[in-house]
Amino acid sequence: MEEWEETKTHFDPSQKQDDPTSACAMRLAALTLALSEFPVPPGETALLLSDLVQKYNSDFGGQLTSTRSNLKIPFMKMQNFFTNIIRNIVVHVQNLIQETPVNYIYLVGGFAESKMLQMQVKGLTKDGLQVIVPRYPQFMVVTGAVLFGLQKGSTIESRVARLTYGYLVLEHWKEKDEIHKKRGFQIIDGVKYVNGQVFKSLVEQGSTIKVLHTETSQVCSPADKRDSDIVFQLYSSRDDDVKFFNPAETIHTRIGEVRGPCADGEFSTLSISFGSTEIRATAFNETTKVSSQADINFNFDSV
């Protein structure tokens, strides 16, 4: 209901704080139209808004009042409509800025016009953090989408890495390495490797990445000499300090892989570059100069 959405968005608790017993009036054209859509069972009369208001007040001890054109809702009741919604938004924003500190918060979308939401988000501000509400926040998302499409993604010049991105490798056993001593070793084709796969990072969480910027790994080769391909398994991580991959934990999230030809005696590198909407992974055989590519689309959870 458009009128209800407008009332909800423009509800301003700061204007009523001096008189919590006051009421908020809402025009009933949309609500009356919605009630008229309910089918009336045979033998029963159509629903009247005044009857509903009276029943609500009787059942719940409410203080709603209605006229032909308005429904009056007590201020405190109106404010309670938003409590859970706004609390969830504020908690989410708080978690985001704790995870990735920022200097500015932009509120966009239709509900960004809500004075109550603005007040709560501004209450999170610390030194140097500013909350900005555009003049027409409801149009910001669609405007950005149109600009992005017209300029083919060139509107994004750089981004801040939400996570750490890297790949898994087997690391050669080093007898004098204290960590290696604790983990022990495994033998593959007569070569000692430390137990477990090692997470090698290419891009660190919080670093600024320009569009199409490329990071390249060290040279690698298949551990098993019988393999004719090398497979780079790509992972994201929320913890920069965890070196060894543990499939039982949720610190690392698999986001994809890229496979390329690499026989015994050959060496390959992994490169990742960040586009406007995806990560492009390239396995490049340094010996034969053959490359293979895979694209990984961004998503909120792991990329």
Side-chain angles (χ1 to χ4, degrees):
M1 294 182 294
E2 186 176 344
E3 290 185 15
W4 165 242
E5 290 299 324
E6 184 176 350
T7 301
K8 183 173 65 174
T9 300
H10 291 90
F11 174 68
D12 186 355
S14 64
Q15 296 181 0
K16 301 289 185 178
Q17 286 179 348
D18 57 334
D19 184 12
T21 62
S22 60
C24 302
M26 183 180 71
R27 291 184 60 81
L28 295 179
L31 184 55
T32 303
L33 179 62
L35 289 174
S36 68
E37 297 297 323
F38 282 92
V40 180
E44 295 187 16
T45 57
L47 291 170
L48 295 177
L49 184 62
S50 58
D51 296 333
L52 293 176
V53 168
Q54 184 176 357
K55 180 171 175 52
Y56 175 85
N57 289 338
S58 175
D59 291 349
F60 300 101
Q63 296 177 337
L64 303 184
T65 57
S66 65
T67 63
R68 287 187 176 183
S69 60
N70 289 287
L71 173 67
K72 292 187 177 181
I73 304 173
F75 168 77
M76 295 304 296
K77 175 63 67 177
M78 189 72 178
Q79 189 171 17
N80 287 340
F81 286 151
F82 311 103
T83 302
N84 289 335
I85 297 173
I86 290 180
R87 182 190 297 118
N88 291 338
I89 294 173
V90 170
V91 168
H92 182 60
V93 171
Q94 192 170 29
N95 290 337
L96 289 176
I97 61 179
Q98 286 179 348
E99 183 179 309
T100 306
V102 295
N103 294 324
Y104 301 93
I105 295 177
Y106 287 88
L107 292 182
V108 298
F111 198 48
E113 291 185 273
S114 167
K115 300 298 183 183
M116 190 171 177
L117 175 62
Q118 293 174 19
M119 287 169 58
Q120 294 294 321
V121 174
K122 288 178 180 178
L124 295 175
T125 58
K126 299 179 180 179
D127 293 339
L129 180 63
Q130 299 182 45
V131 178
I132 299 174
V133 183
R135 185 176 181 183
Y136 300 110
Q138 68 272 33
F139 298 133
M140 290 299 101
V141 176
V142 67
T143 301
V146 171
L147 287 173
F148 184 84
L150 290 175
Q151 301 184 26
K152 298 181 179 180
S154 62
T155 49
I156 300 177
E157 296 183 356
S158 65
R159 57 166 47 87
V160 176
R162 292 183 53 250
L163 305 166
T164 294
Y165 305 94
Y167 61 103
L168 302 183
V169 296
L170 291 174
E171 195 171 77
H172 286 281
W173 164 263
K174 298 176 183 177
E175 188 173 353
K176 295 182 179 181
D177 190 305
E178 293 299 325
I179 296 179
H180 287 199
K181 287 181 181 180
K182 292 179 180 179
R183 296 190 65 88
F185 61 84
Q186 56 185 316
I187 299 177
I188 302 177
D189 281 344
V191 179
K192 287 184 178 181
Y193 298 93
V194 65
N195 275 330
Q197 292 176 294
V198 176
F199 177 71
K200 293 284 188 180
S201 63
L202 290 176
V203 175
E204 301 292 335
Q205 183 182 34
S207 59
T208 300
I209 314 164
K210 291 187 176 181
V211 171
L212 302 182
H213 173 74
T214 301
E215 292 287 346
T216 304
S217 72
Q218 62 190 32
V219 292
C220 303
S221 60
D224 192 329
K225 295 180 180 180
R226 295 168 295 181
D227 290 340
S228 58
D229 288 342
I230 189 169
V231 180
F232 289 102
Q233 299 182 59
L234 307 176
Y235 280 76
S236 62
S237 174
R238 296 182 180 276
D239 193 334
D240 298 336
D241 297 327
V242 179
K243 181 177 181 181
F244 287 91
F245 171 71
N246 184 349
E249 298 177 348
T250 58
I251 296 172
H252 300 93
T253 303
R254 187 178 185 277
I255 60 175
E257 68 174 42
V258 59
R259 177 188 297 268
C262 189
D264 182 36
E266 298 177 352
F267 298 92
S268 292
T269 55
L270 166 68
S271 298
I272 61 172
S273 61
F274 289 75
S276 299
T277 60
E278 76 288 324
I279 297 175
R280 171 158 292 182
T282 303
F284 180 72
N285 190 309
E286 299 285 344
T287 308
T288 63
K289 310 304 180 184
V290 174
S291 64
S292 303
Q293 292 182 334
D295 288 338
I296 303 162
N297 292 326
F298 290 113
N299 65 68
F300 184 78
D301 295 325
S302 60
V303 179

